[in-house]
Amino acid sequence: MRGALVHDALYQLMREGHLDRAIYREVADRLLQALCLQDGMSKARAWLVYQGVHRFGDPSADPAHDRPILTAPRGCK
């Protein structure tokens, strides 16, 4: 969970143009792998997690794929 939160935050910073995707995407993916290992995930599963985000995560870090922020209507709980 911790690794996913950090990774998602870094990808959001890349998507918003605050971090250079060409430099920091690999760093974010490897950090996710390291945090998964630190939190007790097996090496094999952490490697699979890394491979998944490394191979398929590029659109999530691409500023061209930035999504609007949506909010719930007033009165929703």
Side-chain angles (χ1 to χ4, degrees):
M1 183 71 120
R2 178 176 65 135
L5 293 172
V6 171
H7 187 262
D8 287 356
L10 290 170
Y11 265 45
Q12 182 173 349
L13 289 170
M14 287 181 258
R15 198 171 51 250
E16 292 178 355
H18 301 292
L19 291 176
D20 186 333
R21 185 178 68 174
I23 296 170
Y24 291 104
R25 183 162 174 257
E26 174 70 18
V27 173
D29 294 348
R30 289 295 182 183
L31 180 58
L32 170 61
Q33 183 181 24
L35 290 172
C36 287
L37 290 169
Q38 286 177 16
D39 290 345
M41 187 179 286
S42 71
K43 287 182 181 181
R45 188 165 184 179
W47 181 82
L48 287 172
V49 167
Y50 166 78
Q51 289 297 316
V53 296
H54 185 68
R55 290 181 185 198
F56 305 110
D58 191 53
S60 295
D62 186 351
H65 290 94
D66 196 16
R67 296 172 196 92
I69 296 174
L70 303 175
T71 58
R74 290 178 84 77
C76 289
K77 294 181 182 183

